[in-house]
Amino acid sequence: MSAEAPRADVHHLAQTDEAAMFERLSRSNLVTTWKWYLGVAAAGAVLLWGVIVFLYMAMVGMGVTGYNRPVFWGLYEASLVFWIGLSHSGTLISAILRLTHATWRAPVLRGAEAMTAFTLVVGGLIPIIHLGRNWRVYYALPYPSSRELWPNMRSPLMWDAMAITTYLIGSLTFLYVGMIPDLALLRDKSAGWRKRFYSALSLGFRGTHAQWRRYHVASTLFAILIIPIAVSVHSIVSWDFAMAKVPGWHSTIFAPYFVVGAIFSGIAAILVLMIVFRKVFHLERYLKLIHFNYLSVLLLVMSLLWFYFTFSEYLTSYYGHEPNEMRVFWYKFSGAFAPYFWTMVTCNFLVPLILLSNRKTRTIPGILIASISVIIGMWLERLIIVVPSLANPRLPYPTGIYIPSHTEWMLFLGGVSVFILGYMMFARFFPVISVWEIQEGRQESAKTVTERITSYMPDPQPRYTGSMENE
Amino acid sequence: MMNNKLIDRLQILSISLIWLLFTGIAVWILNLIKESLRLHDAPDASLGISLVAIPVFFTLSSVLTYVFIGLRKGRRKDVES
């Protein structure tokens, strides 16, 4: 919305016909249902079991995992890359859609940004879980040790810590700043402790011209800033692997390959969340088929791009025919990991290609199946990157065997429950769809689109009068 | 009125904490460089990270401060009018 355009302040908005829309979109923030409590109890129970398993592992040691020489990274690291990957699309896509003024973006942004925050929290917990002696996590912090022990910044794992922290802070700020006008609306509609809660969070936003102008400048700056941060985070996660001279890892295309995979899985996760929200909160009027259609076409494009990167990666290994690389190659293609590898190709490439390239199957159920398929496929991809390379090292070890234990699976499920619980809490207190952006979209979109089309289409020629006399 | 005072204090506290956190991170990284030089270790990684991380953190906090100051000014004008 331009700064000069007349705009309704937040008090006015609550009294107009937009109020009905606000009622619908913020209902979950003002009313608590038994289903919400049931969901929280179920996710909380899984989380509690995960915490018990974690405490047991902390007491008895990492021997309760399936790790065994030479495979010392497994499900935890695959999950770390997976969760950080999921975090990508949220803020990144939101920032890109904001900067490109995509007029259909409004119902998609908030859910995507919140996803980034919670997936990053889960991803950030995994290195601590994997640490073994978890109580020594403070070694990575700026702790003024008398023994002069400082974190070694030459290790990509320390780069990870820096990158994930920066991205988490940036994403939370991006999410929070994007919610301020909606928090002001909730403040004006609520009473009691809720009013105080939303008053404190809305920072006195009143919707004046000056506030909106500054708000839009800041949103644009945040969007510009967050894109390179997002790209750098998954590049750094890829360098955890690519900087090591391990067969199958030491690759120059790992950074873009990981970024593409991250955006791919992130879009799939956004689609699943949008379909769930649409069903649970009855948002059929706001999350329309066209939103799913746009995002699913993007998912299809990312699927093709992922296949291209995967093909390039393995073709280069095969053509080089270096013996250690070939051991890993055949381990994936026809060895112990072949079932996982070919399932990954099916889930990430064939299923989306079949379902999303055909308009008849590009329906909500079709998109849901394709998205779940991609999430499973991308999780398998992370596992396939981590384990086969460690199971076939350069050193003369026999081929390793890795079977994840009950502890690892339970901690993985605990991570899933942290995500679900966090998201449920978020949906309980904050609107999952940006009310102010939908309102802004309704008021401004037609004008914006007309202006944009006029700006890039050729100017109309003077009409030919039919007279030849002047020529 | 009480509410406005509370909001004022919360705003000032939150923005101060953000600056404190980001300044702390910058000081920590600079200290890592100093330590690596003193111990004749390799400072290149710390230098590289500081070149990226410190400007990013300070840009983030500057934009946040810009938002907070803008909202405070807007609220004051609104209350006065």
Coordinates of all heavy atoms in Angstrom, one line a residue, chain A residues 258-318:
Chain A
F258 N 21.8 -28.3 -2.0 CA 21.1 -28.2 -0.7 C 20.0 -27.1 -0.7 O 18.9 -27.3 -0.1 CB 22.1 -28.0 0.5 CG 22.6 -29.3 1.0 CD1 23.1 -30.3 0.2 CD2 22.6 -29.6 2.4 CE1 23.6 -31.5 0.7 CE2 23.0 -30.8 2.9 CZ 23.6 -31.7 2.1
V259 N 20.4 -26.0 -1.2 CA 19.4 -24.8 -1.2 C 18.2 -25.2 -2.0 O 17.0 -25.0 -1.6 CB 20.1 -23.5 -1.7 CG1 19.1 -22.4 -1.9 CG2 21.2 -23.1 -0.8
V260 N 18.4 -25.8 -3.2 CA 17.3 -26.2 -4.1 C 16.4 -27.3 -3.3 O 15.2 -27.2 -3.3 CB 17.8 -26.8 -5.4 CG1 16.7 -27.6 -6.1 CG2 18.3 -25.7 -6.3
G261 N 17.1 -28.3 -2.7 CA 16.3 -29.3 -1.9 C 15.6 -28.7 -0.8 O 14.4 -29.1 -0.5
A262 N 16.2 -27.7 -0.1 CA 15.5 -27.0 1.0 C 14.3 -26.3 0.6 O 13.2 -26.4 1.2 CB 16.5 -26.1 1.7
I263 N 14.4 -25.5 -0.5 CA 13.2 -24.8 -1.0 C 12.1 -25.8 -1.5 O 10.9 -25.6 -1.2 CB 13.6 -23.8 -2.2 CG1 14.6 -22.8 -1.7 CG2 12.4 -23.2 -2.8 CD1 15.2 -21.9 -2.7
F264 N 12.6 -26.9 -2.1 CA 11.6 -27.9 -2.6 C 10.8 -28.5 -1.4 O 9.6 -28.5 -1.4 CB 12.5 -29.0 -3.3 CG 11.8 -30.1 -3.9 CD1 10.6 -29.9 -4.5 CD2 12.3 -31.4 -3.9 CE1 9.9 -31.0 -5.1 CE2 11.7 -32.4 -4.5 CZ 10.5 -32.2 -5.1
S265 N 11.5 -29.0 -0.4 CA 10.8 -29.6 0.8 C 10.0 -28.5 1.5 O 8.9 -28.8 2.0 CB 11.8 -30.3 1.7 OG 12.8 -29.3 2.2
G266 N 10.5 -27.3 1.6 CA 9.8 -26.2 2.3 C 8.5 -25.9 1.6 O 7.4 -25.8 2.3
I267 N 8.4 -25.9 0.3 CA 7.2 -25.6 -0.4 C 6.2 -26.7 -0.1 O 5.0 -26.5 0.1 CB 7.4 -25.4 -1.9 CG1 8.3 -24.2 -2.2 CG2 6.1 -25.3 -2.7 CD1 8.7 -24.0 -3.6
A268 N 6.7 -28.0 -0.2 CA 5.8 -29.1 0.1 C 5.2 -29.0 1.5 O 4.0 -29.2 1.7 CB 6.6 -30.4 0.0
A269 N 6.0 -28.6 2.5 CA 5.5 -28.5 3.9 C 4.5 -27.3 4.0 O 3.5 -27.5 4.7 CB 6.7 -28.2 4.8
I270 N 4.8 -26.2 3.3 CA 3.8 -25.1 3.3 C 2.5 -25.6 2.7 O 1.4 -25.3 3.3 CB 4.3 -23.9 2.4 CG1 5.5 -23.3 3.1 CG2 3.2 -22.9 2.2 CD1 6.2 -22.2 2.3
L271 N 2.5 -26.3 1.6 CA 1.3 -26.8 1.0 C 0.5 -27.7 2.0 O -0.7 -27.6 2.1 CB 1.6 -27.6 -0.3 CG 1.8 -26.7 -1.5 CD1 2.5 -27.4 -2.6 CD2 0.5 -26.1 -2.0
V272 N 1.2 -28.6 2.7 CA 0.5 -29.5 3.6 C -0.1 -28.7 4.7 O -1.3 -28.9 5.1 CB 1.5 -30.6 4.2 CG1 0.9 -31.3 5.3 CG2 2.0 -31.5 3.1
L273 N 0.6 -27.7 5.3 CA 0.1 -26.9 6.4 C -1.1 -26.1 5.9 O -2.1 -26.0 6.6 CB 1.2 -25.9 6.8 CG 2.2 -26.4 7.8 CD1 3.3 -25.4 8.1 CD2 1.6 -26.9 9.1
M274 N -1.0 -25.6 4.7 CA -2.2 -24.8 4.2 C -3.4 -25.6 4.0 O -4.5 -25.2 4.3 CB -1.8 -24.2 2.8 CG -1.0 -22.9 2.9 SD -0.3 -22.4 1.3 CE -1.8 -22.1 0.3
I275 N -3.2 -26.9 3.6 CA -4.4 -27.8 3.4 C -5.0 -28.1 4.8 O -6.2 -28.1 4.9 CB -4.0 -29.1 2.6 CG1 -3.6 -28.7 1.2 CG2 -5.1 -30.1 2.6 CD1 -3.0 -29.7 0.3
V276 N -4.1 -28.3 5.7 CA -4.6 -28.6 7.1 C -5.3 -27.4 7.7 O -6.4 -27.6 8.2 CB -3.4 -29.0 8.0 CG1 -3.9 -29.2 9.5 CG2 -2.8 -30.4 7.6
F277 N -4.8 -26.3 7.6 CA -5.4 -25.0 8.1 C -6.8 -24.8 7.4 O -7.8 -24.5 8.0 CB -4.6 -23.8 7.8 CG -3.4 -23.6 8.7 CD1 -2.3 -22.9 8.3 CD2 -3.4 -24.3 9.9 CE1 -1.2 -22.7 9.1 CE2 -2.3 -24.1 10.8 CZ -1.2 -23.3 10.4
R278 N -6.8 -25.0 6.1 CA -8.0 -24.8 5.3 C -9.1 -25.7 5.9 O -10.3 -25.3 6.1 CB -7.7 -25.2 3.9 CG -8.8 -24.8 2.9 CD -8.3 -25.1 1.5 NE -9.1 -24.6 0.5 CZ -10.0 -25.3 -0.2 NH1 -10.1 -26.5 0.0 NH2 -10.7 -24.7 -1.2
K279 N -8.8 -26.9 6.2 CA -9.7 -27.9 6.7 C -10.1 -27.6 8.2 O -11.3 -27.5 8.5 CB -9.1 -29.3 6.6 CG -10.0 -30.4 7.0 CD -11.0 -30.8 5.9 CE -11.9 -31.9 6.3 NZ -13.1 -32.0 5.4
V280 N -9.1 -27.4 9.0 CA -9.4 -27.2 10.5 C -10.1 -25.9 10.8 O -11.0 -25.9 11.6 CB -8.0 -27.3 11.2 CG1 -8.2 -27.0 12.7 CG2 -7.4 -28.7 11.1
F281 N -9.6 -24.8 10.2 CA -10.2 -23.5 10.5 C -11.3 -23.0 9.5 O -11.7 -21.9 9.5 CB -9.1 -22.4 10.5 CG -8.0 -22.7 11.6 CD1 -6.7 -22.9 11.3 CD2 -8.4 -22.7 12.9 CE1 -5.8 -23.1 12.3 CE2 -7.5 -22.9 13.9 CZ -6.2 -23.1 13.6
H282 N -11.6 -23.9 8.6 CA -12.7 -23.6 7.6 C -12.3 -22.4 6.8 O -13.1 -21.4 6.8 CB -14.1 -23.5 8.2 CG -14.4 -24.7 9.1 ND1 -14.7 -25.9 8.5 CD2 -14.4 -24.9 10.4 CE1 -14.9 -26.8 9.5 NE2 -14.8 -26.2 10.7
L283 N -11.2 -22.4 6.2 CA -10.7 -21.1 5.5 C -10.8 -21.3 4.0 O -10.0 -20.7 3.2 CB -9.2 -20.9 5.9 CG -9.0 -20.6 7.4 CD1 -7.5 -20.5 7.6 CD2 -9.7 -19.3 7.8
E284 N -11.9 -22.0 3.5 CA -12.0 -22.2 2.1 C -12.2 -20.9 1.3 O -11.8 -20.8 0.2 CB -13.2 -23.1 1.8 CG -13.1 -24.6 2.2 CD -13.3 -24.8 3.7 OE1 -13.6 -23.8 4.4 OE2 -13.1 -25.9 4.2
R285 N -12.7 -19.9 2.0 CA -12.9 -18.6 1.3 C -11.6 -17.8 1.1 O -11.5 -16.9 0.2 CB -13.8 -17.7 2.1 CG -15.3 -18.0 1.9 CD -16.2 -17.0 2.6 NE -16.0 -15.7 2.0 CZ -16.1 -14.5 2.6 NH1 -16.4 -14.5 3.9 NH2 -16.0 -13.4 2.0
Y286 N -10.6 -18.1 1.9 CA -9.3 -17.4 1.9 C -8.2 -18.2 1.2 O -7.4 -17.6 0.5 CB -8.9 -17.0 3.3 CG -10.0 -16.2 4.0 CD1 -10.9 -16.8 4.8 CD2 -10.2 -14.9 3.6 CE1 -12.0 -16.1 5.4 CE2 -11.2 -14.1 4.2 CZ -12.1 -14.7 5.1 OH -13.1 -14.0 5.6
L287 N -8.2 -19.5 1.5 CA -7.1 -20.3 0.8 C -7.8 -21.0 -0.3 O -8.4 -22.1 -0.2 CB -6.6 -21.3 1.8 CG -5.7 -20.7 2.9 CD1 -5.4 -21.8 4.0 CD2 -4.4 -20.2 2.3
K288 N -7.8 -20.4 -1.5 CA -8.5 -20.9 -2.6 C -7.7 -21.8 -3.5 O -6.5 -21.9 -3.3 CB -9.0 -19.7 -3.5 CG -10.0 -18.8 -2.7 CD -10.5 -17.7 -3.6 CE -11.6 -16.9 -2.9 NZ -12.0 -15.8 -3.8
L289 N -8.3 -22.4 -4.4 CA -7.7 -23.4 -5.2 C -6.5 -22.8 -6.0 O -5.5 -23.4 -6.3 CB -8.7 -24.1 -6.2 CG -8.1 -25.3 -6.9 CD1 -7.7 -26.4 -6.0 CD2 -9.2 -25.8 -7.9
I290 N -6.7 -21.5 -6.3 CA -5.6 -20.8 -7.1 C -4.3 -20.7 -6.3 O -3.2 -20.8 -6.9 CB -6.1 -19.4 -7.7 CG1 -5.2 -18.9 -8.7 CG2 -6.3 -18.4 -6.5 CD1 -5.8 -18.1 -9.8
H291 N -4.4 -20.5 -5.0 CA -3.2 -20.4 -4.2 C -2.5 -21.7 -4.3 O -1.2 -21.8 -4.4 CB -3.6 -20.1 -2.7 CG -4.2 -18.7 -2.6 ND1 -5.5 -18.6 -2.2 CD2 -3.7 -17.5 -2.8 CE1 -5.8 -17.3 -2.2 NE2 -4.7 -16.6 -2.5
F292 N -3.2 -22.8 -4.1 CA -2.6 -24.2 -4.2 C -2.1 -24.4 -5.6 O -1.0 -25.0 -5.7 CB -3.7 -25.2 -3.8 CG -4.1 -25.1 -2.4 CD1 -5.2 -24.5 -2.0 CD2 -3.3 -25.7 -1.4 CE1 -5.6 -24.4 -0.7 CE2 -3.6 -25.6 0.0 CZ -4.8 -24.9 0.3
N293 N -2.8 -23.9 -6.6 CA -2.4 -24.1 -8.0 C -1.0 -23.5 -8.2 O -0.1 -24.1 -8.7 CB -3.4 -23.6 -8.9 CG -3.3 -24.1 -10.3 OD1 -2.8 -25.2 -10.5 ND2 -3.7 -23.4 -11.3
Y294 N -0.9 -22.2 -7.8 CA 0.4 -21.5 -8.0 C 1.5 -22.2 -7.3 O 2.6 -22.4 -7.9 CB 0.2 -20.0 -7.5 CG -0.5 -19.1 -8.3 CD1 -1.1 -18.0 -7.8 CD2 -0.6 -19.3 -9.7 CE1 -1.8 -17.1 -8.6 CE2 -1.3 -18.4 -10.5 CZ -1.9 -17.3 -10.0 OH -2.6 -16.4 -10.7
L295 N 1.3 -22.5 -6.0 CA 2.4 -23.1 -5.2 C 2.7 -24.5 -5.8 O 3.9 -24.9 -5.7 CB 2.0 -23.2 -3.8 CG 2.3 -21.9 -2.9 CD1 1.8 -22.1 -1.5 CD2 3.8 -21.6 -2.9
S296 N 1.7 -25.3 -6.2 CA 2.0 -26.6 -6.7 C 2.8 -26.6 -8.0 O 3.6 -27.5 -8.3 CB 0.7 -27.4 -6.9 OG -0.1 -26.9 -7.8
V297 N 2.5 -25.6 -8.8 CA 3.3 -25.4 -10.1 C 4.8 -25.1 -9.7 O 5.7 -25.7 -10.3 CB 2.7 -24.3 -11.0 CG1 3.7 -24.0 -12.1 CG2 1.4 -24.8 -11.6
L298 N 4.9 -24.3 -8.7 CA 6.3 -24.0 -8.2 C 7.0 -25.3 -7.7 O 8.2 -25.5 -7.9 CB 6.2 -22.9 -7.1 CG 7.5 -22.2 -6.7 CD1 8.1 -21.5 -7.9 CD2 7.2 -21.2 -5.6
L299 N 6.2 -26.1 -7.0 CA 6.7 -27.4 -6.5 C 7.1 -28.3 -7.6 O 8.2 -28.9 -7.5 CB 5.6 -28.1 -5.6 CG 6.0 -29.3 -4.9 CD1 6.9 -29.0 -3.7 CD2 4.8 -30.1 -4.4
L300 N 6.4 -28.3 -8.7 CA 6.7 -29.1 -9.8 C 8.0 -28.6 -10.5 O 8.9 -29.4 -10.8 CB 5.6 -29.0 -10.9 CG 5.8 -29.8 -12.2 CD1 6.0 -31.3 -11.9 CD2 4.6 -29.6 -13.1
V301 N 8.2 -27.3 -10.6 CA 9.4 -26.7 -11.1 C 10.6 -27.1 -10.2 O 11.7 -27.5 -10.7 CB 9.3 -25.2 -11.2 CG1 10.6 -24.5 -11.6 CG2 8.2 -24.8 -12.3
M302 N 10.4 -27.0 -8.9 CA 11.5 -27.4 -8.0 C 11.8 -28.9 -8.1 O 13.0 -29.3 -7.9 CB 11.1 -27.0 -6.6 CG 11.0 -25.5 -6.3 SD 12.3 -24.5 -6.9 CE 13.7 -25.1 -5.9
S303 N 10.8 -29.7 -8.4 CA 11.0 -31.1 -8.5 C 11.9 -31.4 -9.7 O 12.9 -32.2 -9.7 CB 9.7 -31.8 -8.7 OG 9.9 -33.2 -9.1
L304 N 11.7 -30.7 -10.8 CA 12.5 -30.8 -12.0 C 13.9 -30.3 -11.8 O 14.9 -31.0 -12.2 CB 11.9 -30.1 -13.2 CG 10.5 -30.5 -13.6 CD1 9.9 -29.6 -14.7 CD2 10.5 -32.0 -14.2
L305 N 14.0 -29.2 -11.0 CA 15.3 -28.7 -10.7 C 16.1 -29.6 -9.8 O 17.3 -29.9 -10.0 CB 15.1 -27.3 -10.0 CG 16.2 -26.3 -10.1 CD1 16.6 -26.0 -11.5 CD2 15.8 -25.0 -9.4
W306 N 15.4 -30.2 -8.8 CA 16.0 -31.2 -7.9 C 16.6 -32.4 -8.7 O 17.7 -32.8 -8.5 CB 15.0 -31.6 -6.9 CG 15.6 -32.7 -6.0 CD1 16.3 -32.6 -4.9 CD2 15.5 -34.2 -6.2 NE1 16.7 -33.8 -4.4 CE2 16.2 -34.8 -5.2 CE3 14.9 -34.9 -7.2 CZ2 16.3 -36.2 -5.1 CZ3 15.0 -36.3 -7.2 CH2 15.6 -36.9 -6.1
F307 N 15.8 -32.8 -9.7 CA 16.2 -34.0 -10.5 C 17.4 -33.7 -11.3 O 18.4 -34.5 -11.4 CB 15.0 -34.4 -11.4 CG 15.4 -35.7 -12.2 CD1 15.3 -36.9 -11.6 CD2 15.7 -35.6 -13.5 CE1 15.7 -38.1 -12.3 CE2 16.1 -36.7 -14.2 CZ 16.0 -38.0 -13.6
Y308 N 17.4 -32.4 -11.8 CA 18.6 -32.0 -12.6 C 19.9 -32.0 -11.8 O 20.9 -32.5 -12.2 CB 18.3 -30.6 -13.2 CG 19.5 -29.9 -13.8 CD1 20.1 -30.4 -14.9 CD2 20.0 -28.8 -13.1 CE1 21.2 -29.7 -15.4 CE2 21.1 -28.1 -13.6 CZ 21.7 -28.6 -14.8 OH 22.8 -28.0 -15.3
F309 N 19.8 -31.4 -10.6 CA 20.9 -31.4 -9.7 C 21.4 -32.8 -9.3 O 22.6 -33.1 -9.2 CB 20.6 -30.6 -8.4 CG 21.0 -29.1 -8.5 CD1 20.1 -28.2 -9.0 CD2 22.2 -28.7 -8.2 CE1 20.4 -26.9 -9.2 CE2 22.6 -27.3 -8.3 CZ 21.7 -26.4 -8.8
T310 N 20.4 -33.6 -8.9 CA 20.7 -35.0 -8.5 C 21.4 -35.7 -9.7 O 22.4 -36.4 -9.5 CB 19.4 -35.8 -8.1 OG1 18.8 -35.0 -7.1 CG2 19.7 -37.1 -7.5
F311 N 20.9 -35.6 -10.9 CA 21.5 -36.2 -12.0 C 22.9 -35.7 -12.3 O 23.8 -36.5 -12.5 CB 20.6 -35.9 -13.3 CG 21.1 -36.5 -14.5 CD1 21.0 -37.9 -14.8 CD2 21.7 -35.7 -15.5 CE1 21.5 -38.4 -16.0 CE2 22.2 -36.2 -16.7 CZ 22.1 -37.5 -16.9
S312 N 23.1 -34.4 -12.2 CA 24.4 -33.8 -12.4 C 25.4 -34.4 -11.3 O 26.6 -34.7 -11.7 CB 24.4 -32.3 -12.3 OG 23.5 -31.8 -13.1
E313 N 25.0 -34.4 -10.1 CA 25.8 -34.9 -9.0 C 26.3 -36.3 -9.2 O 27.5 -36.6 -9.1 CB 25.0 -34.8 -7.7 CG 25.7 -35.4 -6.4 CD 26.9 -34.6 -6.0 OE1 27.1 -33.5 -6.5 OE2 27.7 -35.2 -5.2
Y314 N 25.4 -37.2 -9.6 CA 25.8 -38.6 -9.7 C 26.5 -38.9 -11.0 O 27.3 -39.8 -11.1 CB 24.5 -39.5 -9.5 CG 24.1 -39.6 -8.1 CD1 23.0 -38.9 -7.7 CD2 24.9 -40.2 -7.1 CE1 22.6 -38.9 -6.3 CE2 24.5 -40.2 -5.8 CZ 23.3 -39.5 -5.4 OH 23.0 -39.5 -4.1
L315 N 26.1 -38.1 -12.1 CA 26.8 -38.3 -13.4 C 28.3 -38.0 -13.2 O 29.1 -38.7 -13.7 CB 26.1 -37.4 -14.4 CG 26.8 -37.5 -15.8 CD1 26.5 -38.8 -16.5 CD2 26.4 -36.4 -16.7
T316 N 28.6 -36.9 -12.5 CA 30.0 -36.5 -12.3 C 30.8 -37.6 -11.6 O 31.9 -37.9 -11.9 CB 30.0 -35.1 -11.6 OG1 29.1 -34.3 -12.1 CG2 31.4 -34.5 -11.6
S317 N 30.1 -38.1 -10.5 CA 30.8 -39.2 -9.7 C 31.0 -40.4 -10.6 O 32.1 -41.0 -10.6 CB 29.9 -39.6 -8.6 OG 29.7 -38.6 -7.7
Y318 N 30.0 -40.8 -11.4 CA 30.2 -42.0 -12.2 C 31.2 -41.8 -13.3 O 32.0 -42.7 -13.5 CB 28.8 -42.3 -12.9 CG 28.8 -43.5 -13.7 CD1 28.9 -44.8 -13.1 CD2 28.9 -43.4 -15.1 CE1 28.9 -45.9 -13.9 CE2 28.9 -44.6 -15.9 CZ 29.0 -45.8 -15.3 OH 29.0 -47.0 -16.0

